[in-house]
Amino acid sequence: KDRFANHVKEVDTASPWILKDRAGYGSHGNRVVSLDEVLAEDAEEEDQTLCQQIVHPPLLIDGRKFSMRVYVICCVNGVGEDNEFYISPEGLAKLASDPYDFSSGKAFMTNSGLGEGDDAVQLDFHELRRRFEKEGWDYENLWQ
């Protein structure tokens, strides 16, 4: 925890953070918190919580924050050899159920378990590429 605290204080201390229950579904129990709240968390080593800094301002699609579900394959080559990693061209971009409003905690949540119908927008990577091209954004730069 001390190593983490020293590292993040060298970065951006004003950006919000999100704490996610690793085994959660539908963004239940997720919390948007400050860095001070993250550092004050009384987490045990066996706790399964993901702590992630929120990029602000985020890149938005249709005015909504999005997260990406990326599938990676790791090929273990043997002792003393480098492993190989491959990113699948298939994956999902999951849009938040509400338009982005920094003051709204729900605007950060992109889990499909939150929404129903039009609220649960997911784009495959082919559609994500089309959206990037429509906006004039460099889709390949996303993977750099």
Side-chain angles (χ1 to χ4, degrees):
K1 188 172 183 177
D2 291 335
R3 213 170 63 198
F4 172 76
N6 290 335
H7 171 73
V8 296
K9 288 187 177 185
E10 295 174 10
V11 192
D12 177 9
T13 58
S15 291
W17 292 72
I18 189 163
L19 296 177
K20 302 177 181 184
D21 181 356
R22 182 177 171 266
Y25 175 75
S27 297
H28 301 289
N30 290 359
R31 297 178 291 143
V32 177
V33 298
S34 69
L35 176 59
D36 288 338
E37 290 172 288
V38 169
L39 296 175
E41 276 289 307
D42 188 24
E44 298 296 322
E45 191 171 318
E46 65 272 1
D47 285 347
Q48 300 287 316
T49 302
L50 171 70
C51 175
Q52 177 181 351
Q53 188 173 22
I54 295 172
V55 174
H56 183 73
L59 179 63
L60 303 175
I61 296 176
D62 297 335
R64 296 172 190 232
K65 181 183 166 290
F66 67 99
S67 63
M68 295 175 57
R69 180 167 289 173
V70 179
Y71 301 100
V72 178
I73 299 168
C74 172
C75 298
V76 178
N77 291 323
V79 177
E81 296 183 36
D82 290 336
N83 295 331
E84 296 179 43
F85 295 88
Y86 300 93
I87 297 175
S88 171
E90 304 300 323
L92 295 173
K94 304 171 89 169
L95 277 64
S97 55
D98 289 344
Y100 184 74
D101 173 1
F102 189 73
S103 63
S104 166
K106 192 175 177 191
F108 293 99
M109 306 307 171
T110 58
N111 191 305
S112 58
L114 268 181
E116 297 178 10
D118 291 339
D119 286 345
V121 177
Q122 298 186 107
L123 310 173
D124 65 29
F125 283 175
H126 304 289
E127 178 61 24
L128 181 64
R129 178 188 285 275
R130 285 191 285 278
R131 296 282 184 103
F132 266 60
E133 289 170 355
K134 177 182 166 192
E135 295 293 334
W137 301 334
D138 185 355
Y139 180 79
E140 295 304 323
N141 191 43
L142 181 67
W143 301 101
Q144 301 303 315

